[in-house]
mmCIF file of all heavy atoms in Angstrom:
data_model
loop_
_atom_site.group_PDB
_atom_site.id
_atom_site.type_symbol
_atom_site.label_atom_id
_atom_site.label_comp_id
_atom_site.label_asym_id
_atom_site.label_seq_id
_atom_site.Cartn_x
_atom_site.Cartn_y
_atom_site.Cartn_z
ATOM 1 N N ALA A 46 -4.999 -2.903 -5.667
ATOM 2 C CA ALA A 46 -3.653 -2.940 -6.198
ATOM 3 C C ALA A 46 -2.806 -1.944 -5.431
ATOM 4 O O ALA A 46 -3.192 -0.788 -5.257
ATOM 5 C CB ALA A 46 -3.675 -2.622 -7.675
ATOM 6 N N VAL A 47 -1.627 -2.335 -4.983
ATOM 7 C CA VAL A 47 -0.744 -1.480 -4.192
ATOM 8 C C VAL A 47 0.631 -1.452 -4.815
ATOM 9 O O VAL A 47 1.202 -2.492 -5.135
ATOM 10 C CB VAL A 47 -0.630 -2.000 -2.743
ATOM 11 C CG1 VAL A 47 0.337 -1.168 -1.937
ATOM 12 C CG2 VAL A 47 -1.992 -2.004 -2.043
ATOM 13 N N ASP A 48 1.188 -0.244 -4.984
ATOM 14 C CA ASP A 48 2.536 -0.070 -5.453
ATOM 15 C C ASP A 48 3.282 0.635 -4.327
ATOM 16 O O ASP A 48 2.966 1.794 -3.993
ATOM 17 C CB ASP A 48 2.506 0.802 -6.736
ATOM 18 C CG ASP A 48 3.901 1.048 -7.309
ATOM 19 O OD1 ASP A 48 4.793 0.169 -7.111
ATOM 20 O OD2 ASP A 48 4.092 2.066 -7.961
ATOM 21 N N LEU A 49 4.256 -0.039 -3.711
ATOM 22 C CA LEU A 49 5.030 0.505 -2.596
ATOM 23 C C LEU A 49 6.486 0.610 -3.012
ATOM 24 O O LEU A 49 7.071 -0.340 -3.507
ATOM 25 C CB LEU A 49 4.912 -0.417 -1.370
ATOM 26 C CG LEU A 49 5.817 -0.086 -0.188
ATOM 27 C CD1 LEU A 49 5.508 1.310 0.392
ATOM 28 C CD2 LEU A 49 5.688 -1.150 0.888
ATOM 29 N N LYS A 50 7.050 1.808 -2.806
ATOM 30 C CA LYS A 50 8.447 2.055 -3.054
ATOM 31 C C LYS A 50 9.076 2.718 -1.854
ATOM 32 O O LYS A 50 8.510 3.641 -1.286
ATOM 33 C CB LYS A 50 8.656 2.913 -4.303
ATOM 34 C CG LYS A 50 8.240 2.216 -5.585
ATOM 35 C CD LYS A 50 8.512 3.078 -6.792
ATOM 36 C CE LYS A 50 8.083 2.334 -8.028
ATOM 37 N NZ LYS A 50 8.220 3.131 -9.228
ATOM 38 N N ILE A 51 10.238 2.218 -1.476
ATOM 39 C CA ILE A 51 11.048 2.826 -0.402
ATOM 40 C C ILE A 51 12.345 3.244 -1.045
ATOM 41 O O ILE A 51 13.071 2.397 -1.583
ATOM 42 C CB ILE A 51 11.268 1.843 0.743
ATOM 43 C CG1 ILE A 51 9.944 1.413 1.377
ATOM 44 C CG2 ILE A 51 12.179 2.477 1.814
ATOM 45 C CD1 ILE A 51 10.070 0.315 2.414
ATOM 46 N N ASP A 52 12.634 4.562 -1.004
ATOM 47 C CA ASP A 52 13.823 5.113 -1.666
ATOM 48 C C ASP A 52 13.899 4.681 -3.128
ATOM 49 O O ASP A 52 14.987 4.359 -3.629
ATOM 50 C CB ASP A 52 15.100 4.740 -0.911
ATOM 51 C CG ASP A 52 15.221 5.443 0.430
ATOM 52 O OD1 ASP A 52 14.602 6.541 0.587
ATOM 53 O OD2 ASP A 52 15.903 4.939 1.306
ATOM 54 N N GLY A 53 12.766 4.618 -3.789
ATOM 55 C CA GLY A 53 12.700 4.275 -5.217
ATOM 56 C C GLY A 53 12.756 2.813 -5.529
ATOM 57 O O GLY A 53 12.640 2.416 -6.679
ATOM 58 N N LYS A 54 12.900 1.959 -4.512
ATOM 59 C CA LYS A 54 12.957 0.519 -4.744
ATOM 60 C C LYS A 54 11.593 -0.107 -4.449
ATOM 61 O O LYS A 54 11.024 0.084 -3.374
ATOM 62 C CB LYS A 54 14.013 -0.138 -3.871
ATOM 63 C CG LYS A 54 15.423 0.324 -4.233
ATOM 64 C CD LYS A 54 16.457 -0.332 -3.394
ATOM 65 C CE LYS A 54 17.814 0.194 -3.772
ATOM 66 N NZ LYS A 54 18.842 -0.277 -2.843
ATOM 67 N N LYS A 55 11.076 -0.848 -5.444
ATOM 68 C CA LYS A 55 9.758 -1.451 -5.318
ATOM 69 C C LYS A 55 9.730 -2.622 -4.348
ATOM 70 O O LYS A 55 10.647 -3.448 -4.329
ATOM 71 C CB LYS A 55 9.281 -1.954 -6.687
ATOM 72 C CG LYS A 55 7.874 -2.468 -6.708
ATOM 73 C CD LYS A 55 7.385 -2.660 -8.116
ATOM 74 C CE LYS A 55 6.035 -3.297 -8.195
ATOM 75 N NZ LYS A 55 4.973 -2.587 -7.579
ATOM 76 N N ILE A 56 8.707 -2.645 -3.488
ATOM 77 C CA ILE A 56 8.461 -3.733 -2.559
ATOM 78 C C ILE A 56 7.192 -4.420 -3.015
ATOM 79 O O ILE A 56 6.155 -3.755 -3.176
ATOM 80 C CB ILE A 56 8.294 -3.220 -1.124
ATOM 81 C CG1 ILE A 56 9.474 -2.338 -0.672
ATOM 82 C CG2 ILE A 56 8.067 -4.370 -0.150
ATOM 83 C CD1 ILE A 56 10.789 -3.038 -0.550
ATOM 84 N N PHE A 57 7.214 -5.713 -3.220
ATOM 85 C CA PHE A 57 6.027 -6.440 -3.622
ATOM 86 C C PHE A 57 5.107 -6.651 -2.414
ATOM 87 O O PHE A 57 5.482 -7.272 -1.441
ATOM 88 C CB PHE A 57 6.376 -7.794 -4.261
ATOM 89 C CG PHE A 57 5.194 -8.504 -4.804
ATOM 90 C CD1 PHE A 57 4.558 -8.070 -5.966
ATOM 91 C CD2 PHE A 57 4.688 -9.619 -4.186
ATOM 92 C CE1 PHE A 57 3.452 -8.714 -6.484
ATOM 93 C CE2 PHE A 57 3.583 -10.270 -4.686
ATOM 94 C CZ PHE A 57 2.953 -9.831 -5.814
ATOM 95 N N VAL A 58 3.898 -6.084 -2.520
ATOM 96 C CA VAL A 58 2.934 -6.094 -1.429
ATOM 97 C C VAL A 58 1.625 -6.715 -1.891
ATOM 98 O O VAL A 58 1.187 -6.485 -3.010
ATOM 99 C CB VAL A 58 2.641 -4.653 -0.964
ATOM 100 C CG1 VAL A 58 1.551 -4.613 0.114
ATOM 101 C CG2 VAL A 58 3.911 -3.997 -0.438
ATOM 102 N N ILE A 59 1.033 -7.514 -1.009
ATOM 103 C CA ILE A 59 -0.313 -8.024 -1.282
ATOM 104 C C ILE A 59 -1.226 -7.758 -0.082
ATOM 105 O O ILE A 59 -0.734 -7.602 1.044
ATOM 106 C CB ILE A 59 -0.331 -9.533 -1.634
ATOM 107 C CG1 ILE A 59 0.212 -10.359 -0.489
ATOM 108 C CG2 ILE A 59 0.431 -9.807 -2.922
ATOM 109 C CD1 ILE A 59 0.021 -11.858 -0.661
ATOM 110 N N GLN A 60 -2.502 -7.683 -0.384
ATOM 111 C CA GLN A 60 -3.490 -7.526 0.701
ATOM 112 C C GLN A 60 -4.098 -8.909 0.918
ATOM 113 O O GLN A 60 -4.598 -9.547 0.014
ATOM 114 C CB GLN A 60 -4.555 -6.527 0.245
ATOM 115 C CG GLN A 60 -5.561 -6.212 1.304
ATOM 116 C CD GLN A 60 -6.559 -5.158 0.897
ATOM 117 O OE1 GLN A 60 -6.770 -4.983 -0.314
ATOM 118 N NE2 GLN A 60 -7.202 -4.520 1.821
ATOM 119 N N ASN A 61 -4.033 -9.390 2.164
ATOM 120 C CA ASN A 61 -4.555 -10.720 2.446
ATOM 121 C C ASN A 61 -6.081 -10.663 2.612
ATOM 122 O O ASN A 61 -6.708 -9.634 2.542
ATOM 123 C CB ASN A 61 -3.849 -11.345 3.664
ATOM 124 C CG ASN A 61 -4.105 -10.654 4.949
ATOM 125 O OD1 ASN A 61 -5.056 -9.869 5.118
ATOM 126 N ND2 ASN A 61 -3.226 -10.874 5.922
ATOM 127 N N SER A 62 -6.663 -11.831 2.865
ATOM 128 C CA SER A 62 -8.136 -11.943 2.934
ATOM 129 C C SER A 62 -8.716 -11.175 4.098
ATOM 130 O O SER A 62 -9.923 -10.826 4.056
ATOM 131 C CB SER A 62 -8.536 -13.410 3.038
ATOM 132 O OG SER A 62 -8.009 -13.997 4.190
#
Side-chain angles (χ1 to χ4, degrees):
V47 176
D48 181 29
L49 171 63
K50 292 183 180 175
I51 299 174
D52 290 336
K54 295 181 182 172
K55 185 169 175 60
I56 306 293
F57 185 72
V58 175
I59 60 170
Q60 186 178 20
N61 66 19
S62 61

